[in-house]
Amino acid sequence: MQIGGGVPAAPRGAGAGPVEGVWRLAAPSRESSVPQARHAVRDLLAAQGLAGQPPYEDLLQGLLLIVSELVTNAVQHAAVLSPQIVVEVVIGGGWVRVSVEDSHPYRPTALQNDHGRTGGRGLLLVKAITQEVGGACDVHRTVSGGKAVWASLPLPAPRPASYAVPPR
C-alpha cells in the first residue's frame, strides 16, 4: 500500500523545507488498514524530509497518532456504508494536513471525557494534539455526501546547516 500522487521527492540541501504536494491513499475499511496507512504516511513524510531531523520528530509522531485515530474511527464507525476510505496528506504553506474520508454521512463529534469508558476518546486526542501545537481539526462534508475528518499542524522551521569552525 503506497500513497500516490503529489510531487516526487526531490533532493534538497541542508536546511531546505519539505516538498509541497498532495498525496492520496485509498484503502479498504478494515482494521489492517490502520497500520498500513500509518506506515504509508510515515514513509511519505520521511521521503519529503519530515522525519529524522530534530525539528520534525514531534510533528511526525503527532501526525502518525492522528492518522491511526482517524483511520480507526472510519473503520469502526463508517465501514457499513463505506467499503473504502481515503487518506490524504497535504504539505504546503508552512502546514501539513492529514484527512481521512469515508462515504458515511454521520458527522462525529469529539466526545466528552467519560472515565468509565475504555474507548471513544480518539477525536479528543486528535483535538488535544492539534491544539497543543497551534493547529486545527474539523470535519467537513464531501461532494459525494460522506465526510472528511482532518487535522492540520504547522511545520516547524527547518534548522539551517551548522558549520563547524576549525580550531585555531
Side-chain angles (χ1 to χ4, degrees):
M1 175 180 295
Q2 292 184 358
I3 292 183
V7 179
R12 292 176 298 282
V19 173
E20 294 185 359
V22 178
W23 295 265
R24 293 176 62 86
L25 159 76
S29 292
R30 58 177 176 233
E31 286 185 26
S32 62
S33 293
V34 176
Q36 290 174 341
R38 186 178 54 247
H39 294 302
V41 170
R42 182 199 61 214
D43 294 347
L44 167 72
L45 294 174
Q48 302 313 314
L50 293 174
Q53 299 177 42
Y56 299 124
E57 283 308 309
D58 288 341
L59 171 80
L60 176 67
Q61 296 309 313
L63 284 170
L64 294 178
L65 184 54
I66 288 169
V67 167
S68 294
E69 292 296 336
L70 296 183
V71 173
T72 297
N73 279 355
V75 167
Q76 289 181 348
H77 303 293
V80 172
L81 295 178
S82 186
Q84 179 174 297
I85 60 168
V86 176
V87 177
E88 182 178 81
V89 178
V90 179
I91 301 172
W95 292 82
V96 61
R97 174 180 159 152
V98 295
S99 65
V100 176
E101 181 180 324
D102 62 57
S103 300
H104 198 293
Y106 170 70
R107 180 183 167 97
T109 57
L111 302 174
Q112 298 300 316
N113 278 332
D114 179 354
H115 298 291
R117 292 180 55 145
T118 58
R121 295 189 182 114
L123 288 179
L124 285 174
L125 184 57
V126 169
K127 192 178 203 180
I129 292 168
T130 58
Q131 287 178 343
E132 183 177 321
V133 298
C137 60
D138 203 356
V139 181
H140 70 263
R141 293 219 179 273
T142 62
V143 176
S144 63
K147 67 182 168 303
V149 183
W150 59 268
S152 186
L153 305 178
L155 289 171
R159 294 185 182 155
S162 59
Y163 297 100
V165 176
R168 292 186 194 203

